[in-house]
Amino acid sequence: MITPNLVDPFARAITYLRVSVTDRCDFRCVYCMSENMSFLPKAELLSLEELDRLSSRFVALGVRKLRITGGEPLVRKGIMTYFEAMSRHLASGALDELTLTTNGSQLRRFAQPLADCGVKRVNVSIDTLNEQKFKDITRWGRFAQVMDGIDAAQAAGLKIKINAVALKGTNDDEALDMVAWCHARGFDITFIEVMPMGEDMGDGLRLDQYWSLDDVRETMATRYTLHDIPFSTGGPARYVRVEETGGKIGFITPLSHNFCESCNRVRLTCTGQLFMCLGQEDEADLRKVLRSSEDDGALDRAIRAAIARKPKGHDFDYSRQKAGGTMTRHMSHTGG
């Protein structure tokens, strides 16, 4: 048995790193970005070489899973250079999984190169199968392009999981149909509660959007027979198997049933800030350490010091008709 290198103050081994490679995206989803986003100057972003060095230190310290996020990771210029670099850790056995979350818009171009780098599965974020709703949610549309990208990923042999944010008044009338579509194509689907993040929190938007996954599960039970299963992909989702289809449904419930007690992950932003908790503002500036020294020992010490500050959990809360524990930063900055 391997003794974990990174252990937080609550005896949780940190084995999962989510790496945002860009804050940019070709969509403007209403729960993730403002319509008119101001993006970071490119000089503030970690270079692909810096992302390689920093990610590799986490792997050396015991991280076994890397999930690449954004923004939309596949709009980062030259991004396959980074995936190719990370694939060496799969080849050495130091890394168990290299994967990504994407909006699907660029998968026609990148699905086969990703598979060639050892990526086995991708999470595609799509909240509706209705083309007009898709345009309303993303603000930019391109539904057909995303569907084509999903086809390309499947043709490349990538296992696909659909991520859908549960949005009251938006997709609550088609959740059952989304499950049917996913399972007919051999995809699992995970529903996610909308989180109180973004500068527009003051207008009550997130509270209006919030659809508890307790209610989603009740909706599922009107058509399907659900069985709780111990399945895990290393993240926060809790899964059920659908008797009628044989497929799985995941539930990520940061609000209704927080999953903090089993948290095994931290998030690295595209500017080198390490967030030890999605729902807390504390961060560690690893870019400063990275750029001030070529000594990996200094970087390792900074990473360990950050993990030693990882909190017990977040404070997200909608229970009192207001959004508690809100974060002013957008989800696209932290990494989806």
Side-chain angles (χ1 to χ4, degrees):
M1 181 177 179
I2 300 174
T3 302
N5 277 308
L6 296 176
V7 180
D8 76 3
F10 304 95
R12 296 172 299 196
I14 307 305
T15 58
Y16 180 3
L17 177 66
R18 299 176 67 102
V19 182
S20 174
V21 295
T22 181
D23 65 328
R24 287 167 167 76
C25 187
D26 49 353
F27 292 161
R28 298 289 183 274
C29 292
V30 295
Y31 51 79
C32 185
M33 290 187 173
S34 291
E35 187 168 5
N36 300 304
M37 284 291 290
S38 296
F39 294 111
L40 295 164
K42 290 186 178 180
E44 292 188 16
L45 303 185
L46 296 180
S47 69
L48 294 173
E49 293 78 13
E50 287 173 327
L51 282 167
D52 179 355
R53 182 184 168 201
L54 195 43
S55 302
S56 294
R57 292 322 304 158
F58 275 94
V59 173
L61 291 172
V63 161
R64 304 293 304 181
K65 176 178 178 178
L66 286 179
R67 176 173 294 281
I68 313 309
T69 70
E72 169 48 47
L74 298 181
V75 303
R76 172 80 189 251
K77 186 177 180 180
I79 189 58
M80 287 312 303
T81 301
Y82 173 71
F83 277 99
E84 289 161 4
M86 291 302 97
S87 69
R88 74 183 187 273
H89 299 307
L90 292 172
S92 73
L95 193 63
D96 293 331
E97 185 175 36
L98 174 64
T99 186
L100 74 152
T101 295
T102 173
N103 65 27
S105 68
Q106 306 301 313
L107 279 176
R108 170 57 63 182
R109 177 182 172 193
F110 287 107
Q112 191 59 57
L114 287 167
D116 293 343
C117 283
V119 174
K120 303 295 185 186
R121 63 187 184 98
V122 296
N123 288 0
V124 181
S125 299
I126 179 169
D127 307 313
T128 177
L129 298 175
N130 178 293
E131 190 165 0
Q132 182 57 51
K133 282 188 191 177
F134 185 87
K135 186 175 182 179
D136 293 341
I137 292 170
T138 64
R139 296 190 178 105
W140 285 25
R142 300 180 187 163
F143 180 77
Q145 184 176 329
V146 171
M147 291 295 108
D148 181 61
I150 290 172
D151 290 341
Q154 198 165 31
L158 296 173
K159 186 174 177 60
I160 298 165
K161 180 166 73 70
I162 300 298
N163 284 349
V165 176
L167 298 167
K168 184 169 63 177
T170 300
N171 62 5
D172 46 359
D173 62 340
E174 58 175 319
L176 288 164
D177 292 338
M178 290 189 71
V179 170
W181 176 77
C182 286
H183 290 185
R185 295 200 57 170
F187 308 156
D188 293 333
I189 181 170
T190 291
F191 290 99
I192 306 168
E193 289 175 336
V194 67
M195 287 173 270
M197 299 184 72
E199 63 191 20
D200 52 0
M201 279 304 308
D203 62 9
L205 174 62
R206 298 293 183 273
L207 184 59
D208 291 341
Q209 292 174 328
Y210 175 58
W211 184 24
S212 168
L213 292 197
D214 286 342
D215 295 336
V216 176
R217 180 162 178 160
E218 286 183 11
T219 299
M220 295 296 116
T222 64
R223 181 183 298 179
Y224 299 120
T225 307
L226 309 178
H227 300 289
D228 291 300
I229 56 174
F231 178 78
S232 173
T233 60
R238 294 174 175 135
Y239 286 89
V240 298
R241 184 175 297 281
V242 178
E243 186 174 304
E244 289 80 1
T245 67
K248 293 187 286 293
I249 303 173
F251 299 98
I252 296 181
T253 55
L255 281 301
S256 58
H257 302 281
N258 82 58
F259 39 73
C260 301
E261 74 280 353
S262 60
C263 185
N264 62 343
R265 59 206 161 275
V266 290
R267 295 168 185 260
L268 181 68
T269 74
C270 54
T271 57
Q273 313 309 304
L274 187 71
F275 282 93
M276 288 68 79
C277 175
L278 177 63
Q280 301 287 357
E281 297 286 12
D282 187 29
E283 62 184 90
D285 185 359
L286 298 184
R287 182 182 64 186
K288 182 177 180 181
V289 182
L290 185 75
R291 292 182 175 177
S292 64
S293 172
E294 295 184 4
D295 176 15
D296 285 342
L299 201 49
D300 291 356
R301 287 190 293 275
I303 292 169
R304 290 184 186 279
I307 299 303
R309 303 204 311 266
K310 184 170 170 64
K312 189 172 185 179
H314 61 67
D315 300 314
F316 292 150
D317 181 19
Y318 292 130
S319 63
R320 299 185 180 181
Q321 298 307 303
K322 66 177 182 178
T326 60
M327 298 292 107
T328 56
R329 67 181 186 275
H330 285 281
M331 192 71 178
S332 58
H333 173 73
T334 313

